[in-house]
Amino acid sequence: MVSDADALKQLRWQEQVADKRKRQQAAIPKEWLIPPVPEGQTNVADVPRSCGLLTDRELEITEVSDVTVLLQKLAAGEWSALEVTTAFSKRAVIAHQLVNCLTEILIDKALERAAELDAYLKKHGKPMGPLHGLPISLKDQFKIKGLETTMGYAAWIGKYAEEDSVLVKLLLQAGAVLYVRTNVPQTLMWGETHNNVFGRTLNPYNLRLTPGGSSGGEGALIALHGSILGVGTDIGGSIRIPAHFCGVYGFRPSSHRMPSYGVVNSLDGQESVATAFGPLSSSLSGVTTFIRSILAQEPWRYCPSAIPKPWSQDDYSLKAHGEGTRLCFGIMWDEGTVKPHPPVLRALEVTKKALEAAGHSVIEWKSLRHSEYIDVTRSFWLADGSADYNSCLTTGEPLIHSMEPDADPNVIPDFRIPRKPLSAYEIWQLNKERRELRKHLLDRWQATASSTGTGRPIDALICPPAPYAAVPHGQKRSSIYTLIWNTVDYPALIIPVTKVDPKIDVKPVRESFWSAEDEHVHGMYDPEIYKDMPVGIQLVGPTLQEEVVLGVGKVVDTVLSSSGHK
């Protein structure tokens, strides 16, 4: 039986959500509303172009994929910050009506900011900073003074930020325009995007499939060109999974390279496997521009956890890696317990062949002790016995136990059942285990110097971002292909490569399986369900080698483009 007090609580949080959604809808100009897509249409990627709301000029602006090109036009005054902000704001609102990707819509403030930037450029004859006039979207974790940051929790409605997060301050100092924030899953700890406040975000290439999570709103928005550059967070794959599922670039730096102060978070205070903050973009130049622009402002002067390591142009130019002319890559086809689907393996094969054709070499990397890395990180996440989640559910809002649209809320899957909280001593033992695992991987990486033919270890490791492309809602499994790199704190970059082609990516017949999970994932694959979904690769390098990973990533991206595979 539900008590009267519980029933009242239930009513109150639902009323709060209804009010929040009403305020969100009111922030959309009525003249920017579009008709619903026809029933049965699942691919909405072309709707922003075909709906008739955007002018030819606005289409030209928003369909620039290269951030560098857009910044050059803004700095030269060829395009004003006001018209660029207007164009991306309109397209973001269109995207939201299609896939439900936004939480906060800040059009009036954004246009006011853009006008100020135009006035600055006119008065001083130079841009305010390296991101002058660039509209940047933010995951719903980055506090902006005067705004709510609900992070998908009803209890956080009505909590207004008293100051900007450090990253927001630095973006504004660099000349950026902040115009929208994007959707997340409740608790953040999901590879999909759904919460009780804003609902479910959909994949623009197939509305029946997920855009990933927890930065799923960013992935979907950028895929629809409603943003050219956005900022996400990643504790187990939350930047990389949406990038892979939505066909955009995504980068997880080492966990303390970017400033984290002032950001709301799940498991806040858990620092053993810390959250990383990084960009998603429609271009690799966007990823690099973001990292370089933030580091240029010395974030360690404002955030106590940020590592004082300036941008290294020598590292980005691959000075210690043969100037990038003859690289050697490791390639990990699988992690040993779950075999990737055919299109994921094909993306790896395409990349390998393109690199070899360009004069680079690729050697095999076999995954070892993978399950140990996964178990350690999961143990850190669950060490509090769900105290963190429960502390955020103070208004009667239920904890979401499944991402399946029709899931019974009373059924709790095994992986969501709270564990017994760990003692301080037990957490210390986990830290020791993680330390040894990091040492094990470091030694293996260094030992490859004897096999590369370059006299140095592999320059980067190529591996799957996930065993599949975007999956139906509620079907995302464990993030085993991304989580390992959080455990060891290695930077990792997602590069889009191809799309699922049912004629090529046929389902193989398998008589045996590596595990029960392997059999389940194999059974998920139907080429027609995944048809035309984006597929990427994951490029990994050692801790704090962000510039090297981005420099090597540029080599890989260029090779793939010149070979005609992208």
Side-chain angles (χ1 to χ4, degrees):
M1 291 289 291
V2 178
S3 68
D4 290 344
D6 288 340
L8 185 59
K9 263 189 172 183
Q10 182 85 352
L11 179 62
R12 283 175 178 167
W13 81 259
Q14 290 176 336
E15 288 176 344
Q16 286 179 307
V17 167
D19 177 68
K20 180 64 179 174
R21 291 185 179 184
K22 183 178 179 180
R23 286 187 282 130
Q24 182 199 52
Q25 187 65 26
I28 299 176
K30 290 183 173 58
E31 61 271 23
W32 291 4
L33 297 176
I34 62 171
V37 296
E39 187 175 353
Q41 179 178 340
T42 57
N43 188 329
V44 297
D46 292 332
V47 171
R49 166 173 278 277
S50 64
C51 69
L53 182 60
L54 297 171
T55 66
D56 289 344
R57 176 82 156 185
E58 288 165 343
L59 285 169
E60 181 185 4
I61 290 170
T62 55
E63 291 184 3
V64 171
S65 294
D66 192 326
V67 167
T68 302
V69 171
L70 184 55
L71 285 171
Q72 288 171 347
K73 290 181 179 292
L74 284 162
E78 182 177 342
W79 288 343
S80 71
L82 188 61
E83 66 177 332
V84 169
T85 299
T86 300
F88 275 102
S89 295
K90 286 175 73 172
R91 192 149 184 160
V93 166
I94 294 170
H96 177 64
Q97 294 172 75
L98 297 171
V99 297
N100 192 41
C101 54
L102 304 183
T103 58
E104 305 292 333
I105 301 169
L106 319 171
I107 295 169
D108 291 341
K109 288 186 177 182
L111 295 179
E112 181 181 346
R113 163 74 169 172
E116 291 172 356
L117 290 166
D118 286 335
Y120 183 96
L121 182 65
K122 183 177 181 180
K123 179 179 179 180
H124 298 279
K126 63 178 183 179
M128 181 177 285
L131 301 176
H132 179 94
L134 186 70
I136 293 181
S137 51
L138 299 172
K139 187 177 183 178
D140 198 23
Q141 290 182 256
F142 296 91
K143 287 194 292 187
I144 299 175
K145 185 177 180 180
L147 296 180
E148 297 159 296
T149 309
T150 65
M151 206 181 79
Y153 282 122
W156 291 6
I157 296 172
K159 293 184 178 181
Y160 293 86
E162 297 181 359
E163 63 177 352
D164 294 331
S165 63
V166 168
L167 188 62
V168 165
K169 291 179 181 178
L170 297 182
L171 289 172
L172 292 174
Q173 286 177 192
V177 178
L178 307 179
Y179 66 119
V180 291
R181 281 204 310 234
T182 55
N183 204 20
V184 300
Q186 187 199 62
T187 76
L188 300 182
M189 307 301 286
W190 292 97
E192 303 190 33
T193 298
H194 170 61
N195 60 68
N196 292 319
V197 180
F198 298 104
R200 186 182 303 277
T201 301
L202 315 176
N203 193 305
Y205 294 106
N206 188 332
L207 300 180
R208 297 191 181 104
L209 307 183
T210 179
S214 60
S215 307
E218 282 297 328
L221 178 65
I222 295 170
L224 285 165
H225 296 276
S227 173
I228 194 170
L229 176 62
V231 190
T233 66
D234 191 314
I235 195 175
S238 292
I239 289 172
R240 291 161 289 159
I241 292 164
H244 169 54
F245 282 5
C246 296
V248 303
Y249 296 83
F251 185 49
R252 177 219 179 266
S254 304
S255 56
H256 296 296
R257 195 77 196 271
M258 293 288 104
S260 61
Y261 191 81
V263 176
V264 299
N265 205 0
S266 194
L267 310 184
D268 199 10
Q270 187 282 118
E271 292 290 335
S272 295
V273 178
T275 299
F277 301 82
L280 297 90
S281 180
S282 55
S283 67
L284 185 54
S285 72
V287 170
T288 303
T289 297
F290 173 86
I291 299 295
R292 183 188 284 134
S293 298
I294 297 301
L295 292 179
Q297 299 179 79
E298 301 180 337
W300 48 90
R301 294 173 53 206
Y302 312 97
C303 175
S305 63
I307 294 171
K309 185 177 187 292
W311 173 266
S312 171
Q313 188 59 31
D314 282 352
D315 283 353
Y316 180 64
S317 300
L318 304 177
K319 294 277 188 182
H321 296 261
E323 308 282 347
T325 57
R326 186 169 170 265
L327 300 176
C328 182
F329 297 82
I331 190 164
M332 185 181 88
W333 299 98
D334 58 70
E335 49 69 65
T337 64
V338 177
K339 187 173 185 177
H341 288 171
V344 177
L345 293 174
R346 179 167 61 83
L348 296 176
E349 184 63 37
V350 161
T351 304
K352 177 177 182 290
K353 288 181 177 179
L355 287 169
E356 290 174 335
H360 305 288
S361 58
V362 182
I363 63 175
E364 300 287 316
W365 174 283
K366 183 174 177 59
S367 175
L368 299 177
R369 304 177 68 180
H370 200 102
S371 61
E372 294 179 55
Y373 292 91
I374 305 301
D375 289 344
V376 164
T377 294
R378 284 178 175 161
S379 295
F380 282 125
W381 290 351
L382 300 171
D384 69 332
S386 294
D388 179 75
Y389 301 163
N390 293 333
S391 72
C392 301
L393 300 169
T394 57
T395 59
E397 174 192 5
L399 183 64
I400 295 174
H401 296 297
S402 172
M403 289 285 115
E404 292 190 30
D406 300 320
D408 184 342
N410 298 310
V411 175
I412 304 177
D414 290 344
F415 72 92
R416 294 291 284 184
I417 297 174
R419 293 186 186 179
K420 178 184 176 183
L422 300 181
S423 67
Y425 180 77
E426 289 171 321
I427 293 174
W428 295 347
Q429 305 318 300
L430 285 174
N431 281 323
K432 288 165 60 177
E433 187 176 347
R434 175 176 177 259
R435 182 175 63 205
E436 291 307 311
L437 287 168
R438 295 185 74 193
K439 173 61 171 164
H440 171 259
L441 186 60
L442 175 62
D443 290 346
R444 284 197 67 206
W445 193 286
Q446 294 299 316
T448 61
S450 63
S451 306
T452 59
T454 64
R456 60 181 184 270
I458 54 173
D459 297 292
L461 178 67
I462 300 166
C463 60
Y468 30 59
V471 297
H473 297 293
Q475 299 303 309
K476 169 71 176 60
R477 310 290 288 183
S478 177
S479 303
I480 54 177
Y481 279 94
T482 50
L483 197 154
I484 180 177
W485 310 119
N486 296 84
T487 307
V488 296
D489 202 18
Y490 277 21
L493 172 69
I494 299 300
I495 299 175
V497 176
T498 186
K499 292 184 178 181
V500 178
D501 184 343
K503 294 181 180 178
I504 301 173
D505 303 315
V506 297
K507 185 172 184 175
V509 175
R510 294 181 61 186
E511 296 181 355
S512 61
F513 297 94
W514 301 340
S515 64
E517 181 69 6
D518 181 40
E519 185 173 9
H520 181 93
V521 169
H522 174 77
M524 290 170 59
Y525 185 59
D526 180 336
E528 292 301 325
I529 290 176
Y530 293 87
K531 182 180 179 181
D532 294 331
M533 298 308 296
V535 183
I537 60 164
Q538 185 173 201
L539 190 73
V540 180
T543 306
L544 295 177
Q545 294 296 304
E546 283 72 31
E547 294 92 335
V548 173
V549 173
L550 293 174
V552 173
K554 184 177 180 181
V555 171
V556 175
D557 197 50
T558 301
V559 165
L560 286 167
S561 296
S562 61
S563 66
H565 286 295
K566 286 181 68 66

